[in-house]
Amino acid sequence: MKILAFSDLHLSRARAEEIVAASRVADLVIGAGDFGNMRRGVAEAMRLLAGIETPLVLVPGNNESLEELRMAAPEGAFVLHGDTITMDGVTLFGIGGGVPVTPFGAWSWDLTEAEAEDLLKTADGADVIISHSPPKGIADRTSTGVSVGSTAVYAAAERVQPKLLLCGHIHDCWGEEGLIGQTRVKNLGPRVNWFEM
């Protein structure tokens, strides 16, 4: 399976055009959250991605809630948050939101580490974990060097050992990778990222 994955589109028309064009040769497209900005523009972002005809799996970021993404997602798209889907023998688990709670205030759709840990209990058996937030210590540093990733996401990857953990959220680390045991972790960013499963 040829997977195209991205995160943090934030209503970028140019980035959306690149992703839509690349999707024509993908078997699956994954969007790892933050399609709009500050809980606005989610429907507009989905319209920017309307040319994707390949199966589409989305998780909410902290810039849209689960409900907002479900309402705006294209017909036939799969929105994951605390659940799994299996496609062509590949099991994907998704968890959205900012984890841990961000300093951005009331507009940000966040989860505590305890809430995330509870949702991640159902990730067992996943080949791919899609988490908007990165795991603690990998691709999670802010511009000031502070590690702001999730301990719950790290622990789940350590326990489950999926082949891939795909994330975003921390813009300063777009494109960075790391390992948790045998799990390849990548902070995607709003670009075309390819993976083979």
Side-chain angles (χ1 to χ4, degrees):
M1 175 185 284
K2 189 173 184 178
I3 298 173
L4 185 165
F6 68 96
S7 69
D8 302 281
L9 184 66
H10 292 294
L11 287 170
S12 170
R13 181 174 301 278
R15 297 291 192 166
E17 287 173 357
E18 292 169 7
I19 291 162
V20 170
S23 73
R24 294 183 187 114
V25 294
D27 298 312
L28 173 66
V29 176
I30 293 172
D34 277 7
F35 304 99
N37 290 309
M38 297 178 70
R39 307 285 289 277
R40 294 190 177 114
V42 184
E44 183 183 343
M46 293 299 110
R47 286 193 292 273
L48 292 176
L49 298 171
I52 295 175
E53 297 178 1
T54 304
L56 180 61
V57 173
L58 307 169
V59 303
N62 64 299
N63 275 263
E64 60 272 331
S65 70
L66 175 60
E67 294 76 20
E68 290 160 353
L69 183 57
R70 281 186 174 152
M71 293 260 312
E75 187 176 344
F78 302 95
V79 177
L80 300 181
H81 179 66
D83 43 9
T84 60
I85 187 169
T86 300
M87 305 179 82
D88 293 334
V90 176
T91 300
L92 305 112
F93 173 90
I95 182 169
V99 187
V101 174
T102 70
F104 303 138
W107 67 261
S108 188
W109 192 68
D110 300 328
L111 303 175
T112 66
E113 291 285 9
E115 289 169 328
E117 184 179 349
D118 193 48
L119 288 173
L120 285 156
K121 287 176 183 172
T122 61
D124 290 355
D127 300 302
V128 180
I129 292 178
I130 309 155
S131 170
H132 179 62
S133 297
K136 183 74 172 173
I138 300 175
D140 73 334
R141 292 174 330 281
T142 66
S143 59
T144 58
V146 179
S147 169
V148 293
S150 168
T151 56
V153 171
Y154 188 101
E158 194 171 44
R159 181 186 83 245
V160 176
Q161 286 291 283
K163 293 178 181 70
L164 294 172
L165 194 166
L166 304 177
C167 59
H169 189 43
I170 306 304
H171 296 196
D172 302 287
C173 292
W174 286 342
E176 289 190 17
E177 295 193 39
L179 290 171
I180 300 174
Q182 297 300 307
T183 298
R184 178 184 175 193
V185 179
K186 183 152 188 189
N187 185 323
L188 301 164
R191 55 181 62 110
V192 173
N193 297 272
W194 290 111
F195 303 93
E196 289 282 350
M197 292 291 292

